[in-house]
Amino acid sequence: MNISNWTSEHTTTAKSIWSDYQRAHDLSDRFGQTVGIDPASGHLWFGQSIADVVSKRDAAGIDAPLFFERVGSHVYWRKGRRR
């Protein structure tokens, strides 16, 4: 699957995988990290940034598109300033 084949179903699946993982694991030591979620396999990679997560995925010999979340946040990145 390449990025042009990404669907809203992939996003929904990745969010479900992430929600289940959060309920089953203590993530207090990973607060602020990036997680990359492969909706096809359910595999998760953690790192300090998207580039770090992608490097870890590549090192594992996997070439799958990932959905990214920030541990402990409802948004990955907020553009603009707060008022």
Side-chain angles (χ1 to χ4, degrees), residues 5-44:
N5 295 335
W6 190 272
T7 66
S8 61
E9 186 173 307
H10 293 114
T11 300
T12 301
T13 301
K15 286 183 176 186
S16 176
I17 291 166
W18 180 233
S19 180
D20 293 345
Y21 188 89
Q22 289 180 91
R23 280 193 294 277
H25 296 84
D26 176 18
L27 297 170
S28 58
D29 62 332
R30 295 191 182 269
F31 187 82
Q33 288 187 0
T34 299
V35 60
I37 306 153
D38 176 0
S41 69
H43 193 94
L44 287 83

Side-chain angles (χ1 to χ4, degrees), residues 63-79:
D63 184 25
L66 301 175
F67 181 82
F68 296 97
E69 289 278 350
R70 172 102 41 217
V71 178
S73 179
H74 294 289
V75 295
Y76 186 82
W77 182 352
R78 185 183 314 267
K79 183 177 178 181

Side-chain angles (χ1 to χ4, degrees), residues 38-60:
D38 176 0
S41 69
H43 193 94
L44 287 83
W45 289 271
F46 291 91
Q48 295 305 313
S49 66
I50 288 175
D52 188 27
V53 169
V54 170
S55 292
K56 290 177 180 181
R57 181 209 56 190
D58 291 348

